[in-house]
Amino acid sequence: MARVAEPARKRELGRGERVLPGVWRLRLPLPWPGVPHCNAFAVAAGDGVVLFDTGMHEPGSLGHLERALEQVGLRLEHVRLLVCTHAHSDHYGQAASIIERAGCELWMHPNHAHVTASAADPEQAFRRRLEVARQSGVPEEPLRRWAQERAGKLSYGIAKIVLPDRDLLPGVEIVTDLGTWSVHETPGHAPSHVCLFQAERRLLISGDHLLGRVSLYYDYGWTPDPAGEFLRSLDVVDRLDARLCLAGHGKPFTDVRAHVQANRALAGERIAAVRDAIADEPRTAFDVVPLVYGAELTPLTANWWLAETLCYLRHLEVEGLAERVASEPERWRAARAS
Ligand SMILES: [Zn+2]
Ligand SMILES: [Zn+2]
């Protein structure tokens, strides 16, 4: 396939719009190819708002958030409480800046080390990722190039690490003018992921757990079985029977159950494809990738696809359907019937 240089993309600006009376979507630009923006949501609460998620930290990013707020008649100083659905940079990156300006508290799930530990020591986190890639069978040459390209550019999109004032766990209630929101743990996409639900209005703030367009991503290496956790978290959200979903990327959507089912179906397909890939001979995770995705890893997809594949292999292992073969790099095969 010919590689065509992407035309210089005109950088978007932060934009604010009302979703419902007392609920505003703040659409904030992202520097990532294929993921042009993320959402934060402001919900009226007394003389201010509760802000759900933050947008990523990078030069000029706070200005985008301020511009989006301004378009709906709000300012950073109106934020009475900051709630993060999870600790990824596009949802937590500007937390420090917002707290400093608004003087508010941050509430977030306590399993945030997958980001806060990495951001505290980016060099070590990067070395660890290289090691996982090497162990998964990625050849030395692309690894060396990757390390070179990344050298000195280890930006995590986080203004400063701030720890939550309160652990966002089931039982914690977030009080707004639209009623109280309950907390539902939904690990899988990230260990720190929660969804927030307003029961009377059946509104769901879904972060990255449920998006308008099915897009699977898991943080690998922090919990025993991210893919299995994600599937169970889909059940959690399904049971809530939400009417309107305010997702971390893209437009709000209504057919929540259909989205849950589409996620389940795609994850199930990929798990089955990974299982097929190791049915006849032991393979490394790197060798499994093209058999599942129909394309080789590129620098762009390396982190994403490799982590996803490792999560499915790990899931099959937990289910007793796959096992590791002692080899360097590590190979996986279908578990032998015992
Ligand atoms: Zn995320
Ligand atoms: Zn996100």
Side-chain angles (χ1 to χ4, degrees):
M1 197 172 67
R3 289 194 60 181
V4 182
E6 255 189 72
R9 189 156 51 87
K10 202 165 147 262
R11 278 308 289 275
E12 293 193 48
L13 301 169
R15 283 198 343 220
E17 64 185 30
R18 196 182 78 154
V19 180
L20 298 166
V23 181
W24 298 275
R25 173 189 176 202
L26 310 167
R27 209 182 80 161
L28 308 169
L30 286 175
W32 299 337
V35 192
H37 28 74
C38 61
N39 298 322
F41 291 95
V43 178
D47 60 355
V49 296
V50 175
L51 183 65
F52 296 85
D53 289 344
T54 69
M56 184 176 166
H57 169 75
E58 54 169 347
S61 60
L62 200 63
H64 287 294
L65 177 59
E66 291 192 278
R67 185 178 189 273
L69 285 166
E70 200 178 285
Q71 287 185 350
V72 296
L74 293 167
R75 286 183 298 119
L76 274 177
E77 288 72 17
H78 287 130
V79 178
R80 300 283 173 266
L81 171 65
L82 174 61
V83 173
C84 291
T85 57
H86 62 300
H88 284 162
S89 60
D90 48 333
H91 302 261
Y92 161 77
Q94 301 203 88
S97 320
I98 294 164
I99 290 167
E100 194 183 301
R101 284 279 298 276
C104 65
E105 287 197 349
L106 164 67
W107 295 5
M108 184 165 75
H109 193 278
N111 293 351
H112 50 68
H114 65 103
V115 167
T116 50
S118 303
D121 191 348
E123 289 293 337
Q124 204 230 314
F126 186 65
R127 275 199 303 276
R128 188 176 141 167
R129 263 161 66 179
L130 278 179
E131 191 42 47
V132 168
R134 186 173 291 121
Q135 211 181 46
S136 306
V138 180
E140 284 301 326
E141 179 49 30
L143 277 183
R144 208 177 49 75
R145 253 182 294 134
W146 187 33
Q148 259 172 10
E149 278 164 29
R150 287 294 299 264
K153 286 191 285 190
L154 296 175
S155 152
Y156 271 77
I158 291 169
K160 204 172 89 183
I161 300 166
V162 274
L163 299 180
D165 298 288
R166 183 159 184 195
D167 287 344
L168 199 56
L169 290 165
V172 172
E173 294 188 328
I174 299 155
V175 179
T176 69
D177 292 356
L178 278 81
T180 297
W181 299 70
S182 52
V183 177
H184 303 269
E185 291 178 297
T186 47
H189 172 82
S192 58
H193 206 293
V194 298
C195 289
L196 296 317
F197 184 58
Q198 208 299 309
E200 289 77 28
R201 296 167 195 263
R202 292 165 61 209
L203 299 176
L204 182 72
I205 292 177
S206 68
D208 285 348
H209 177 56
L210 205 59
L211 296 170
R213 185 166 58 105
V214 179
S215 168
L216 303 172
Y217 176 90
Y218 318 107
D219 269 354
Y220 176 73
W222 297 93
T223 56
D225 177 14
E229 289 151 30
F230 175 70
L231 289 169
R232 285 188 290 278
S233 295
L234 287 175
D235 296 342
V236 168
V237 163
D238 205 4
R239 279 195 294 272
L240 294 175
D241 193 22
R243 182 179 56 84
L244 180 68
C245 184
L246 310 171
H249 303 263
K251 291 187 187 126
F253 55 88
T254 51
D255 42 355
V256 182
R257 180 147 287 161
H259 283 78
V260 168
Q261 279 162 0
N263 273 273
R264 239 186 236 136
L266 184 62
E269 258 170 49
R270 295 219 172 130
I271 290 166
V274 169
R275 198 178 167 188
D276 284 349
I278 57 167
D280 296 329
E281 56 173 299
R283 292 186 202 274
T284 65
F286 178 73
D287 292 335
V288 169
V289 166
L291 301 172
V292 173
Y293 300 88
E296 304 282 338
L297 279 179
T298 68
L300 209 64
T301 57
N303 196 31
W304 193 299
W305 285 355
L306 193 64
E308 195 183 333
T309 300
L310 283 166
C311 288
Y312 295 141
L313 287 165
R314 177 74 190 130
H315 180 64
L316 290 168
E317 184 182 50
V318 167
E319 302 267 291
L321 297 170
E323 60 193 20
R324 297 169 210 234
V325 180
S327 69
E328 190 65 43
E330 188 170 66
R331 289 186 166 72
W332 300 74
R333 69 177 170 212
R336 303 214 169 117
S338 46

